[in-house]
């Protein structure tokens, strides 16, 4: 099975935890104005029928500069002043890359985009585990519960979405892929897969690319965007991720990006019906993060 990235999961007898595991151009540097796409969902997540290739109409109108202030990212919990600053930075983050076959935009997922993201992850997970399509609906339910929980941890973690537009005036903008980034200990997953990464270090996981848009460099740039955002949001330079041993293409991509294997699952992990995984690490170049010291003053996320 040829995929652009790798997927893996862990199964806890008490509860189901999944991890879809598995790039340096700043969007603003290209002076490209990103739009706020209006979504017409091609499926209802409660329905069995759906469209695997998610289409997003390309709006020709440009939002005003105040639109991002009017619709900020929200977590539904009390935040410190510094957390509010980080949340604002996440909302402003943009990454843009011209590919050979089209254009790619990457930014932080918004609340109204959760369902399409959930379905993309559920389908990729089912494909990776060779599960029948009938399981996708059940997986989508579990994935959504996970994503709702993780969203409350922002700005210590974030989900990035990649939007792709193929060359041609009549082409639509599509949801191309997604990746989750954890910036620090407070955003670390309570049940990380093995080998266990350090909880105080940034961690990249849950990356997937739409099946019809693979082999175009989208996975590579999701990885690069994750690293770029980590450099802006986190002080630690050591970034970790997992890669299944059987996923040779993603493994080669990670090695090409500068990641090295620092640990591997014991063969006994196969007894838990999981694939053996490598834990990989990369040390990012030193850069000054605007968020070095946590503040103690609290305020409310409205």
């Amino acid at each position: 099975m040829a995929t652009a990235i790798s997927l893996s999961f862990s199964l806890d007898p008490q509860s189901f935890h999944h991890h879809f595991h598995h790039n340096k151009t700043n969007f603003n540097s290209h002076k490209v104005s990103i739009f706020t796409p209006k979504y017409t969902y091609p499926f209802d997540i409660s329905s069995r029928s759906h469209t695997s290739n998610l289409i997003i109409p390309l709006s020709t109108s440009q939002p005003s500069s105040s639109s991002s202030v009017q619709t900020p990212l929200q977590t539904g919990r009390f935040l410190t002043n510094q957390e509010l600053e980080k949340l604002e930075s996440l909302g402003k983050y943009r990454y843009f890359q011209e590919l050979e076959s089209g254009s790619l935009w990457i930014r932080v997922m918004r609340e109204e985009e959760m369902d399409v993201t959930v379905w993309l992850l559920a389908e990729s997970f089912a494909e990776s585990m060779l599960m029948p399509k009938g399981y996708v609906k059940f997986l989508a339910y579990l994935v959504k519960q996970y994503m709702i929980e993780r969203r409350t941890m922002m700005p210590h973690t974030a989900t990035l979405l990649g939007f792709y537009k193929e060359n041609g005036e009549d082409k639509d903008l599509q949801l191309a892929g997604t990746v989750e980034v954890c910036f620090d200990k407070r955003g670390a997953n309570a049940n990380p897969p093995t080998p266990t990464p350090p909880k105080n270090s940034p961690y990249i996981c849950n990356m997937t690319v739409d099946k019809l848009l693979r082999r175009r460099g989208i996975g590579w740039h999701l990885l690069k965007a994750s690293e770029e955002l980590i450099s802006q949001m986190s002080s630690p330079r050591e970034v970790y991720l997992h890669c299944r041993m059987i996923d040779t293409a993603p493994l080669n991509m990670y090695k090409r990006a500068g990641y090295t294997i620092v640990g591997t699952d014991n063969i006994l992990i196969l007894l838990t019906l999981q694939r053996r995984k490598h834990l990989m690490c990369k040390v990012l170049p030193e850069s000054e993060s605007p968020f070095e010291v946590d503040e103690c003053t609290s305020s409310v996320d409205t």
Side-chain angles (χ1 to χ4, degrees), residues 42-154:
F43 61 86
D44 183 337
I45 199 163
S46 62
S47 171
R48 289 183 180 274
S49 62
H50 60 278
T51 304
S52 59
N53 196 24
L54 308 177
I55 305 298
I56 303 167
L58 179 60
S59 172
T60 56
S61 61
Q62 304 297 329
S64 65
S65 59
S66 61
S67 61
S68 61
V69 178
Q70 296 172 352
T71 57
L73 298 173
Q74 298 184 11
T75 67
R77 63 184 177 87
F78 288 96
L79 301 177
T80 66
N81 287 338
Q82 190 179 57
E83 284 177 321
L84 284 174
E85 291 178 8
K86 287 184 176 182
L87 201 64
E88 184 179 358
S89 294
L90 288 177
K92 293 179 179 179
Y93 180 72
R94 299 291 186 272
Y95 178 104
F96 174 79
Q97 183 66 44
E98 289 286 356
L99 306 178
E100 187 174 329
S101 57
S103 303
L104 179 68
W105 293 264
I106 299 175
R107 59 165 171 75
V108 174
M109 181 190 75
R110 297 167 183 165
E111 186 174 5
E112 64 270 18
E113 297 161 341
M114 183 178 292
D115 280 354
V116 288
T117 308
V118 163
W119 203 265
L120 177 62
L121 285 167
E123 287 193 320
S124 295
F125 182 59
E127 176 195 4
S128 173
M129 299 306 299
L130 303 179
M131 291 180 174
K133 288 188 176 181
Y135 282 91
V136 174
K137 181 181 177 182
F138 173 65
L139 289 173
Y141 170 80
L142 297 175
V143 173
K144 186 165 185 177
Q145 303 313 304
Y146 170 83
M147 294 192 70
I148 291 173
E149 178 184 347
R150 296 298 290 163
R151 189 170 177 81
T152 65
M153 303 306 298
M154 291 177 65

Side-chain angles (χ1 to χ4, degrees), residues 194-263:
T194 57
T196 306
K199 284 196 171 184
N200 61 337
S201 295
Y203 178 64
I204 299 173
C205 64
N206 297 359
M207 186 196 293
T208 188
V209 174
D210 186 279
K211 188 175 182 178
L212 300 181
L213 295 175
R214 292 172 185 166
R215 300 186 181 279
R216 304 182 188 221
I218 294 173
W220 173 267
H221 288 289
L222 284 171
L223 181 64
K224 293 290 111 180
S226 299
E227 293 177 351
E228 181 179 89
L229 188 56
I230 287 171
S231 295
Q232 297 179 18
M233 300 291 294
S234 177
S235 297
R237 299 291 93 190
E238 293 184 349
V239 181
Y240 290 84
L241 54 80
H242 283 95
C243 181
R244 299 191 310 177
M245 293 179 65
I246 64 171
D247 294 329
T248 55
L251 180 61
N252 291 334
M253 181 185 77
Y254 295 140
K255 288 182 176 179
R256 183 161 55 95
Y259 290 83
T260 58
I261 298 173
V262 294

